[in-house]
Amino acid sequence: MISVDVSAVNIALPSIRSSLHSGMTGLQWVVDAYTLMLAALMLSAGALADRAGARRAYGWGVALFTAASLACAAAPGIGTLIGARVAQGAAAAIVVPASLALIRQTYEEPRQRARAIALWTVGGSLAMGAGPVLGGLLSEGPGWRAVFLINLPIGAVTLALLTRVPRSPRRPAPLDMWGQATAVVALAGLAFAVIEGGHAGWTTLPVLGSALVAVAGAVGFAVAERRQRAPMVPLGMLRDRFVAVPLMLGFAINAAFYGGIFLLGLYYQELRGMSGVQAGLMFAPMAAVISGTNLLSPRLAERFGRRPVIVVGQLIMAVAMLAMLPLAADTPVWLVLVLLIPLGIGGALSVPAFTAQLMDAVPGERVGTASGLLNALRQTGGALAVAAFGALATGDGGTGFSLSGMHVSVAAEAVVLVVTAAAAWVLLPSGRRD
């Protein structure tokens, strides 16, 4: 549900624009209002999962997410939809670290835990891959509101199944409200500056002001975490390269994946004139390879070590980004389909391996914090990619789609992926058993 509501909504954006009469800025906020709240609140949601118990936190999150989905479906205007997406993202932030904490509590043996994490990743990755297809079918059929309404029965079934899960232990984990507030301010200010800067101009007063707010929020966050006796993000933990590198990898992977889907969804519909269904089906081959590759990743990691699997996955995604550079309005459809497959394979190889690396690098009492931080940075990467890529790919006058802007975006992301691959090769441990 959480992953579908990113990738499916990307394909539904042209329908939302037509229905609610929104410009590109509004569409970017429909995506980023969700992912930013998911990213920022996930920092303290990890501590909440530890404090309330993973099962209870998971149930709260699913219930809130389902209610917020109904509000999204009923939104009469773009402002209301963005507000409902904020609530949806806040609820989603509770679910993700709680679900990973449940797995960590269930599987103590590292090899079993790695395989369980791979299955957990399959759910999210398959949803990210299948989301565009589902988004196209729903937006062109019953309408874009169905993208959110479909969450209602799924949420109800999930809550029913949760009653069969054993209770989770509670751990003392104080909530860092000052750190949480400054994190939200920093991310929101940064996203506003990037989104509005691309449309209103980088030197306008609102953009410069929001950039200053982002800097102030980041400084306030660092000060708060240093002074807290029990910070939600222990800054000392980030000095461990076995923790810092997986966090960096998560940021880069999601930036490439979510940014790529955002750009390609607009490319198919705005430049190629495809319908929502046609645009969604363009992602079907990529979706087909993601789940299989996710399951293959831990087996490859056991045989060759996690580091080679992570690095190869990053480089495959970099190639996928560079492969989008020749795309034009008349590129053969079959070629576009082929070029999409490496995007799914690369991410599906890397994510289980670096997630398992992170889980093994932190003690059990910090797993909620670590999983929250990982997923926060992953969502931040996706949100900032949508903000930056959307600003670059907007046509003249703040409307339409710029192919040259798309090319600049994918080239920049390819460079980021090569850099993170090099960092993983140098800083992560080698060998079959990390």
Side-chain angles (χ1 to χ4, degrees):
M1 292 166 66
I2 289 169
S3 297
V4 162
D5 269 44
V6 179
S7 54
V9 170
N10 274 317
I11 300 302
L13 290 178
S15 296
I16 294 173
R17 169 191 281 179
S18 176
S19 174
L20 302 182
H21 310 290
S22 171
M24 178 67 80
T25 301
L27 298 182
Q28 286 174 271
W29 277 116
V30 168
V31 177
D32 274 357
Y34 176 80
T35 51
L36 283 173
M37 290 304 293
L38 176 56
L41 297 184
M42 207 180 294
L43 293 171
S44 59
L48 178 64
D50 291 339
R51 187 174 183 174
R55 175 189 155 179
R56 178 176 294 182
Y58 185 85
W60 288 347
V62 171
L64 290 172
F65 185 89
T66 305
S69 297
L70 178 60
C72 289
I78 194 68
T80 308
L81 176 58
I82 292 171
R85 290 282 280 171
V86 169
Q88 206 183 24
I94 301 172
V95 174
V96 176
S99 65
L100 196 55
L102 281 174
I103 290 177
R104 177 62 177 82
Q105 292 166 14
T106 304
Y107 296 96
E108 293 293 336
E109 200 276 320
R111 183 170 296 184
Q112 288 184 333
R113 185 167 62 244
R115 291 176 178 174
I117 289 172
L119 290 174
W120 175 85
T121 307
V122 165
S125 298
L126 183 60
M128 283 193 295
V133 181
L134 185 63
L137 292 171
L138 292 175
S139 61
E140 286 292 314
W144 64 266
R145 298 180 191 275
V147 173
F148 302 106
L149 288 174
I150 197 173
N151 292 335
L152 273 60
I154 296 174
V157 171
T158 301
L159 290 173
L161 291 174
L162 190 63
T163 61
R164 302 172 59 184
V165 176
R167 291 181 180 271
S168 302
R170 298 185 182 186
R171 297 189 176 96
L175 294 178
D176 180 5
M177 300 309 296
W178 178 250
Q180 179 60 86
T182 52
V184 172
V185 169
L187 288 178
L190 180 59
F192 185 91
V194 174
I195 290 175
E196 298 297 329
H199 303 288
W202 298 104
T203 58
T204 58
L205 187 59
V207 172
L208 293 175
S210 63
L212 289 175
V213 168
V215 172
V219 172
F221 177 80
V223 171
E225 298 311 280
R226 287 185 182 278
R227 292 183 176 179
Q228 285 282 348
R229 295 182 62 182
M232 65 180 181
V233 180
L235 298 182
M237 185 173 69
L238 302 180
R239 290 193 287 269
D240 183 348
R241 71 179 190 272
F242 299 155
V243 172
V245 172
L247 296 177
M248 177 181 62
L249 294 170
F251 181 96
I253 286 284
N254 269 41
F257 193 89
Y258 286 137
I261 289 179
F262 177 79
L263 288 174
L264 289 169
L266 293 175
Y267 164 78
Y268 293 143
Q269 297 178 79
E270 299 288 331
L271 195 65
R272 300 296 296 258
M274 293 183 180
S275 66
V277 173
Q278 291 172 324
L281 290 175
M282 291 293 291
F283 293 93
M286 180 183 70
V289 304
I290 285 178
S291 58
T293 308
N294 271 146
L295 293 172
L296 181 62
S297 175
R299 297 182 182 181
L300 293 174
E302 287 179 10
R303 181 172 181 180
F304 301 107
R306 290 173 183 158
R307 186 177 70 173
V309 174
I310 292 170
V311 171
V312 169
Q314 294 273 296
L315 294 178
I316 290 174
M317 289 197 82
V319 171
M321 292 288 108
L322 294 175
M324 296 183 196
L325 289 175
L327 292 184
D330 57 352
T331 302
V333 172
W334 67 266
L335 180 58
V336 180
L337 283 171
V338 171
L339 295 179
L340 270 177
I341 293 177
L343 184 64
I345 291 176
L349 274 177
S350 293
V351 172
F354 70 67
T355 302
Q357 174 66 57
L358 178 64
M359 293 298 100
D360 285 352
V362 297
E365 64 272 15
R366 283 293 186 186
V367 67
T369 300
S371 62
L373 184 56
L374 172 62
N375 287 288
L377 283 174
R378 290 185 65 188
Q379 297 303 323
T380 299
L384 293 182
V386 169
F389 292 3
L392 289 169
T394 302
D396 295 334
T399 60
F401 181 79
S402 168
L403 188 60
S404 61
M406 175 181 173
H407 292 161
V408 172
S409 299
V410 297
E413 181 57 34
V415 172
V416 171
L417 289 165
V418 170
V419 170
T420 54
W425 184 259
V426 172
L427 298 174
L428 288 182
S430 59
R432 298 185 182 183
R433 296 290 298 276
D434 296 335

mmCIF file of all heavy atoms in Angstrom, residues 66-108:
data_model
loop_
_atom_site.group_PDB
_atom_site.id
_atom_site.type_symbol
_atom_site.label_atom_id
_atom_site.label_comp_id
_atom_site.label_asym_id
_atom_site.label_seq_id
_atom_site.Cartn_x
_atom_site.Cartn_y
_atom_site.Cartn_z
ATOM 1 N N THR A 66 -5.272 3.996 6.176
ATOM 2 C CA THR A 66 -6.516 3.659 5.486
ATOM 3 C C THR A 66 -7.502 4.832 5.535
ATOM 4 O O THR A 66 -8.136 5.173 4.525
ATOM 5 C CB THR A 66 -7.144 2.409 6.110
ATOM 6 O OG1 THR A 66 -6.177 1.341 6.092
ATOM 7 C CG2 THR A 66 -8.371 1.960 5.335
ATOM 8 N N ALA A 67 -7.616 5.473 6.709
ATOM 9 C CA ALA A 67 -8.509 6.624 6.837
ATOM 10 C C ALA A 67 -8.036 7.790 5.971
ATOM 11 O O ALA A 67 -8.840 8.474 5.325
ATOM 12 C CB ALA A 67 -8.596 7.054 8.296
ATOM 13 N N ALA A 68 -6.721 8.037 5.938
ATOM 14 C CA ALA A 68 -6.183 9.117 5.115
ATOM 15 C C ALA A 68 -6.382 8.842 3.628
ATOM 16 O O ALA A 68 -6.575 9.771 2.830
ATOM 17 C CB ALA A 68 -4.701 9.315 5.418
ATOM 18 N N SER A 69 -6.337 7.581 3.226
ATOM 19 C CA SER A 69 -6.585 7.225 1.825
ATOM 20 C C SER A 69 -7.998 7.610 1.413
ATOM 21 O O SER A 69 -8.232 8.085 0.295
ATOM 22 C CB SER A 69 -6.364 5.722 1.617
ATOM 23 O OG SER A 69 -5.023 5.359 1.868
ATOM 24 N N LEU A 70 -8.950 7.403 2.311
ATOM 25 C CA LEU A 70 -10.325 7.812 2.030
ATOM 26 C C LEU A 70 -10.412 9.324 1.860
ATOM 27 O O LEU A 70 -11.114 9.823 0.970
ATOM 28 C CB LEU A 70 -11.241 7.357 3.162
ATOM 29 C CG LEU A 70 -12.722 7.748 3.047
ATOM 30 C CD1 LEU A 70 -13.343 7.173 1.777
ATOM 31 C CD2 LEU A 70 -13.495 7.278 4.274
ATOM 32 N N ALA A 71 -9.679 10.076 2.682
ATOM 33 C CA ALA A 71 -9.665 11.539 2.556
ATOM 34 C C ALA A 71 -9.056 11.967 1.221
ATOM 35 O O ALA A 71 -9.528 12.920 0.590
ATOM 36 C CB ALA A 71 -8.892 12.146 3.721
ATOM 37 N N CYS A 72 -8.008 11.276 0.776
ATOM 38 C CA CYS A 72 -7.410 11.590 -0.536
ATOM 39 C C CYS A 72 -8.427 11.372 -1.652
ATOM 40 O O CYS A 72 -8.553 12.192 -2.567
ATOM 41 C CB CYS A 72 -6.187 10.714 -0.783
ATOM 42 S SG CYS A 72 -4.740 11.107 0.221
ATOM 43 N N ALA A 73 -9.138 10.250 -1.586
ATOM 44 C CA ALA A 73 -10.108 9.926 -2.639
ATOM 45 C C ALA A 73 -11.246 10.930 -2.689
ATOM 46 O O ALA A 73 -11.822 11.179 -3.758
ATOM 47 C CB ALA A 73 -10.657 8.518 -2.413
ATOM 48 N N ALA A 74 -11.587 11.531 -1.551
ATOM 49 C CA ALA A 74 -12.713 12.469 -1.493
ATOM 50 C C ALA A 74 -12.294 13.920 -1.700
ATOM 51 O O ALA A 74 -13.150 14.813 -1.650
ATOM 52 C CB ALA A 74 -13.421 12.332 -0.147
ATOM 53 N N ALA A 75 -10.997 14.191 -1.940
ATOM 54 C CA ALA A 75 -10.500 15.563 -2.022
ATOM 55 C C ALA A 75 -11.175 16.344 -3.157
ATOM 56 O O ALA A 75 -11.154 15.899 -4.311
ATOM 57 C CB ALA A 75 -8.993 15.555 -2.228
ATOM 58 N N PRO A 76 -11.751 17.537 -2.862
ATOM 59 C CA PRO A 76 -12.398 18.320 -3.910
ATOM 60 C C PRO A 76 -11.450 19.228 -4.687
ATOM 61 O O PRO A 76 -11.803 19.743 -5.742
ATOM 62 C CB PRO A 76 -13.404 19.174 -3.112
ATOM 63 C CG PRO A 76 -12.743 19.351 -1.786
ATOM 64 C CD PRO A 76 -11.971 18.094 -1.524
ATOM 65 N N GLY A 77 -10.249 19.455 -4.176
ATOM 66 C CA GLY A 77 -9.295 20.336 -4.830
ATOM 67 C C GLY A 77 -7.873 19.910 -4.552
ATOM 68 O O GLY A 77 -7.610 19.054 -3.701
ATOM 69 N N ILE A 78 -6.915 20.542 -5.246
ATOM 70 C CA ILE A 78 -5.524 20.140 -5.140
ATOM 71 C C ILE A 78 -4.983 20.406 -3.739
ATOM 72 O O ILE A 78 -4.201 19.611 -3.196
ATOM 73 C CB ILE A 78 -4.663 20.850 -6.211
ATOM 74 C CG1 ILE A 78 -3.283 20.181 -6.325
ATOM 75 C CG2 ILE A 78 -4.537 22.332 -5.925
ATOM 76 C CD1 ILE A 78 -3.311 18.801 -6.881
ATOM 77 N N GLY A 79 -5.401 21.513 -3.096
ATOM 78 C CA GLY A 79 -4.935 21.810 -1.749
ATOM 79 C C GLY A 79 -5.382 20.768 -0.740
ATOM 80 O O GLY A 79 -4.614 20.337 0.124
ATOM 81 N N THR A 80 -6.639 20.356 -0.839
ATOM 82 C CA THR A 80 -7.160 19.324 0.057
ATOM 83 C C THR A 80 -6.444 18.003 -0.169
ATOM 84 O O THR A 80 -6.132 17.273 0.787
ATOM 85 C CB THR A 80 -8.668 19.147 -0.150
ATOM 86 O OG1 THR A 80 -9.314 20.413 -0.050
ATOM 87 C CG2 THR A 80 -9.258 18.199 0.876
ATOM 88 N N LEU A 81 -6.183 17.675 -1.422
ATOM 89 C CA LEU A 81 -5.476 16.429 -1.730
ATOM 90 C C LEU A 81 -4.078 16.448 -1.136
ATOM 91 O O LEU A 81 -3.629 15.456 -0.554
ATOM 92 C CB LEU A 81 -5.409 16.226 -3.246
ATOM 93 C CG LEU A 81 -4.622 15.001 -3.727
ATOM 94 C CD1 LEU A 81 -5.204 13.716 -3.145
ATOM 95 C CD2 LEU A 81 -4.606 14.937 -5.252
ATOM 96 N N ILE A 82 -3.383 17.572 -1.256
ATOM 97 C CA ILE A 82 -2.034 17.671 -0.698
ATOM 98 C C ILE A 82 -2.086 17.514 0.824
ATOM 99 O O ILE A 82 -1.259 16.820 1.421
ATOM 100 C CB ILE A 82 -1.382 19.007 -1.098
ATOM 101 C CG1 ILE A 82 -1.101 19.015 -2.609
ATOM 102 C CG2 ILE A 82 -0.091 19.238 -0.316
ATOM 103 C CD1 ILE A 82 -0.662 20.368 -3.140
ATOM 104 N N GLY A 83 -3.074 18.140 1.473
ATOM 105 C CA GLY A 83 -3.212 17.998 2.916
ATOM 106 C C GLY A 83 -3.481 16.564 3.335
ATOM 107 O O GLY A 83 -2.919 16.072 4.327
ATOM 108 N N ALA A 84 -4.334 15.869 2.582
ATOM 109 C CA ALA A 84 -4.614 14.465 2.897
ATOM 110 C C ALA A 84 -3.387 13.599 2.660
ATOM 111 O O ALA A 84 -3.161 12.607 3.371
ATOM 112 C CB ALA A 84 -5.786 13.973 2.052
ATOM 113 N N ARG A 85 -2.578 13.967 1.669
ATOM 114 C CA ARG A 85 -1.340 13.210 1.425
ATOM 115 C C ARG A 85 -0.349 13.390 2.568
ATOM 116 O O ARG A 85 0.426 12.486 2.881
ATOM 117 C CB ARG A 85 -0.715 13.667 0.113
ATOM 118 C CG ARG A 85 -1.509 13.258 -1.114
ATOM 119 C CD ARG A 85 -1.283 11.813 -1.458
ATOM 120 N NE ARG A 85 -0.036 11.609 -2.176
ATOM 121 C CZ ARG A 85 0.486 10.418 -2.440
ATOM 122 N NH1 ARG A 85 -0.122 9.324 -2.030
ATOM 123 N NH2 ARG A 85 1.627 10.309 -3.102
ATOM 124 N N VAL A 86 -0.361 14.570 3.210
ATOM 125 C CA VAL A 86 0.472 14.775 4.394
ATOM 126 C C VAL A 86 0.079 13.780 5.485
ATOM 127 O O VAL A 86 0.929 13.128 6.100
ATOM 128 C CB VAL A 86 0.348 16.224 4.902
ATOM 129 C CG1 VAL A 86 0.995 16.376 6.272
ATOM 130 C CG2 VAL A 86 0.993 17.197 3.918
ATOM 131 N N ALA A 87 -1.227 13.671 5.731
ATOM 132 C CA ALA A 87 -1.704 12.727 6.753
ATOM 133 C C ALA A 87 -1.377 11.295 6.366
ATOM 134 O O ALA A 87 -0.995 10.467 7.219
ATOM 135 C CB ALA A 87 -3.212 12.897 6.933
ATOM 136 N N GLN A 88 -1.498 10.974 5.094
ATOM 137 C CA GLN A 88 -1.201 9.625 4.623
ATOM 138 C C GLN A 88 0.278 9.289 4.836
ATOM 139 O O GLN A 88 0.628 8.187 5.278
ATOM 140 C CB GLN A 88 -1.562 9.531 3.138
ATOM 141 C CG GLN A 88 -1.892 8.149 2.659
ATOM 142 C CD GLN A 88 -2.171 8.117 1.163
ATOM 143 O OE1 GLN A 88 -1.721 8.981 0.411
ATOM 144 N NE2 GLN A 88 -2.908 7.127 0.720
ATOM 145 N N GLY A 89 1.149 10.249 4.535
ATOM 146 C CA GLY A 89 2.576 10.034 4.726
ATOM 147 C C GLY A 89 2.946 9.861 6.186
ATOM 148 O O GLY A 89 3.809 9.052 6.541
ATOM 149 N N ALA A 90 2.286 10.643 7.068
ATOM 150 C CA ALA A 90 2.554 10.513 8.500
ATOM 151 C C ALA A 90 2.176 9.117 8.997
ATOM 152 O O ALA A 90 2.891 8.512 9.797
ATOM 153 C CB ALA A 90 1.777 11.586 9.263
ATOM 154 N N ALA A 91 1.047 8.613 8.529
ATOM 155 C CA ALA A 91 0.629 7.263 8.924
ATOM 156 C C ALA A 91 1.574 6.204 8.377
ATOM 157 O O ALA A 91 1.943 5.246 9.067
ATOM 158 C CB ALA A 91 -0.796 7.008 8.442
ATOM 159 N N ALA A 92 1.990 6.389 7.131
ATOM 160 C CA ALA A 92 2.906 5.422 6.516
ATOM 161 C C ALA A 92 4.232 5.360 7.265
ATOM 162 O O ALA A 92 4.868 4.303 7.333
ATOM 163 C CB ALA A 92 3.143 5.793 5.054
ATOM 164 N N ALA A 93 4.646 6.499 7.835
ATOM 165 C CA ALA A 93 5.915 6.538 8.561
ATOM 166 C C ALA A 93 5.910 5.613 9.766
ATOM 167 O O ALA A 93 6.960 5.128 10.190
ATOM 168 C CB ALA A 93 6.204 7.973 9.009
ATOM 169 N N ILE A 94 4.736 5.365 10.330
ATOM 170 C CA ILE A 94 4.645 4.466 11.477
ATOM 171 C C ILE A 94 4.773 3.010 11.031
ATOM 172 O O ILE A 94 5.373 2.176 11.713
ATOM 173 C CB ILE A 94 3.309 4.674 12.211
ATOM 174 C CG1 ILE A 94 3.181 6.123 12.683
ATOM 175 C CG2 ILE A 94 3.168 3.722 13.384
ATOM 176 C CD1 ILE A 94 1.810 6.460 13.256
ATOM 177 N N VAL A 95 4.225 2.703 9.865
ATOM 178 C CA VAL A 95 4.122 1.314 9.423
ATOM 179 C C VAL A 95 5.480 0.715 9.054
ATOM 180 O O VAL A 95 5.800 -0.412 9.452
ATOM 181 C CB VAL A 95 3.151 1.202 8.222
ATOM 182 C CG1 VAL A 95 3.155 -0.212 7.658
ATOM 183 C CG2 VAL A 95 1.750 1.608 8.643
ATOM 184 N N VAL A 96 6.294 1.457 8.304
ATOM 185 C CA VAL A 96 7.498 0.859 7.718
ATOM 186 C C VAL A 96 8.491 0.374 8.770
ATOM 187 O O VAL A 96 8.879 -0.806 8.759
ATOM 188 C CB VAL A 96 8.156 1.835 6.727
ATOM 189 C CG1 VAL A 96 9.457 1.243 6.185
ATOM 190 C CG2 VAL A 96 7.207 2.149 5.577
ATOM 191 N N PRO A 97 8.951 1.223 9.701
ATOM 192 C CA PRO A 97 9.902 0.694 10.696
ATOM 193 C C PRO A 97 9.288 -0.357 11.605
ATOM 194 O O PRO A 97 9.986 -1.276 12.054
ATOM 195 C CB PRO A 97 10.327 1.942 11.485
ATOM 196 C CG PRO A 97 9.239 2.926 11.263
ATOM 197 C CD PRO A 97 8.714 2.655 9.888
ATOM 198 N N ALA A 98 7.976 -0.235 11.882
ATOM 199 C CA ALA A 98 7.327 -1.249 12.727
ATOM 200 C C ALA A 98 7.326 -2.609 12.042
ATOM 201 O O ALA A 98 7.542 -3.644 12.688
ATOM 202 C CB ALA A 98 5.905 -0.817 13.058
ATOM 203 N N SER A 99 7.108 -2.634 10.739
ATOM 204 C CA SER A 99 7.093 -3.906 10.020
ATOM 205 C C SER A 99 8.479 -4.545 10.009
ATOM 206 O O SER A 99 8.624 -5.763 10.197
ATOM 207 C CB SER A 99 6.592 -3.694 8.582
ATOM 208 O OG SER A 99 7.501 -2.894 7.847
ATOM 209 N N LEU A 100 9.512 -3.739 9.812
ATOM 210 C CA LEU A 100 10.869 -4.279 9.815
ATOM 211 C C LEU A 100 11.282 -4.713 11.215
ATOM 212 O O LEU A 100 11.991 -5.719 11.391
ATOM 213 C CB LEU A 100 11.845 -3.236 9.269
ATOM 214 C CG LEU A 100 13.230 -3.734 8.855
ATOM 215 C CD1 LEU A 100 13.125 -4.852 7.843
ATOM 216 C CD2 LEU A 100 14.055 -2.593 8.312
ATOM 217 N N ALA A 101 10.821 -3.989 12.238
ATOM 218 C CA ALA A 101 11.107 -4.386 13.617
ATOM 219 C C ALA A 101 10.456 -5.723 13.955
ATOM 220 O O ALA A 101 11.024 -6.540 14.690
ATOM 221 C CB ALA A 101 10.637 -3.303 14.585
ATOM 222 N N LEU A 102 9.272 -5.973 13.423
ATOM 223 C CA LEU A 102 8.615 -7.265 13.632
ATOM 224 C C LEU A 102 9.467 -8.404 13.080
ATOM 225 O O LEU A 102 9.601 -9.464 13.690
ATOM 226 C CB LEU A 102 7.233 -7.277 12.962
ATOM 227 C CG LEU A 102 6.092 -6.578 13.698
ATOM 228 C CD1 LEU A 102 4.843 -6.550 12.830
ATOM 229 C CD2 LEU A 102 5.792 -7.277 15.018
ATOM 230 N N ILE A 103 10.064 -8.181 11.920
ATOM 231 C CA ILE A 103 10.922 -9.207 11.322
ATOM 232 C C ILE A 103 12.171 -9.423 12.166
ATOM 233 O O ILE A 103 12.587 -10.558 12.427
ATOM 234 C CB ILE A 103 11.304 -8.809 9.876
ATOM 235 C CG1 ILE A 103 10.078 -8.912 8.967
ATOM 236 C CG2 ILE A 103 12.437 -9.686 9.353
ATOM 237 C CD1 ILE A 103 10.327 -8.470 7.554
ATOM 238 N N ARG A 104 12.761 -8.319 12.624
ATOM 239 C CA ARG A 104 13.987 -8.429 13.439
ATOM 240 C C ARG A 104 13.720 -9.183 14.743
ATOM 241 O O ARG A 104 14.550 -9.965 15.217
ATOM 242 C CB ARG A 104 14.527 -7.022 13.731
ATOM 243 C CG ARG A 104 15.761 -6.985 14.627
ATOM 244 C CD ARG A 104 16.934 -7.696 13.983
ATOM 245 N NE ARG A 104 18.133 -7.601 14.789
ATOM 246 C CZ ARG A 104 18.423 -8.383 15.825
ATOM 247 N NH1 ARG A 104 17.564 -9.317 16.202
ATOM 248 N NH2 ARG A 104 19.553 -8.243 16.486
ATOM 249 N N GLN A 105 12.544 -8.976 15.327
ATOM 250 C CA GLN A 105 12.197 -9.660 16.571
ATOM 251 C C GLN A 105 11.894 -11.140 16.344
ATOM 252 O O GLN A 105 12.089 -11.972 17.232
ATOM 253 C CB GLN A 105 10.980 -8.981 17.206
ATOM 254 C CG GLN A 105 11.263 -7.577 17.708
ATOM 255 C CD GLN A 105 9.998 -6.811 18.012
ATOM 256 O OE1 GLN A 105 8.918 -7.374 18.105
ATOM 257 N NE2 GLN A 105 10.127 -5.492 18.157
ATOM 258 N N THR A 106 11.424 -11.476 15.157
ATOM 259 C CA THR A 106 11.022 -12.853 14.868
ATOM 260 C C THR A 106 12.213 -13.730 14.495
ATOM 261 O O THR A 106 12.275 -14.900 14.879
ATOM 262 C CB THR A 106 9.989 -12.869 13.724
ATOM 263 O OG1 THR A 106 8.882 -12.039 14.089
ATOM 264 C CG2 THR A 106 9.492 -14.277 13.451
ATOM 265 N N TYR A 107 13.166 -13.187 13.746
ATOM 266 C CA TYR A 107 14.292 -13.972 13.235
ATOM 267 C C TYR A 107 15.597 -13.482 13.872
ATOM 268 O O TYR A 107 16.090 -12.410 13.531
ATOM 269 C CB TYR A 107 14.378 -13.869 11.711
ATOM 270 C CG TYR A 107 13.176 -14.450 11.006
ATOM 271 C CD1 TYR A 107 12.127 -13.620 10.615
ATOM 272 C CD2 TYR A 107 13.081 -15.810 10.761
ATOM 273 C CE1 TYR A 107 11.007 -14.149 9.979
ATOM 274 C CE2 TYR A 107 11.970 -16.347 10.128
ATOM 275 C CZ TYR A 107 10.940 -15.506 9.743
ATOM 276 O OH TYR A 107 9.841 -16.040 9.123
ATOM 277 N N GLU A 108 16.158 -14.284 14.768
ATOM 278 C CA GLU A 108 17.397 -13.920 15.445
ATOM 279 C C GLU A 108 18.629 -14.390 14.668
ATOM 280 O O GLU A 108 19.678 -13.755 14.733
ATOM 281 C CB GLU A 108 17.423 -14.520 16.857
ATOM 282 C CG GLU A 108 16.381 -13.942 17.797
ATOM 283 C CD GLU A 108 16.641 -12.483 18.119
ATOM 284 O OE1 GLU A 108 17.807 -12.045 18.014
ATOM 285 O OE2 GLU A 108 15.677 -11.768 18.458
#
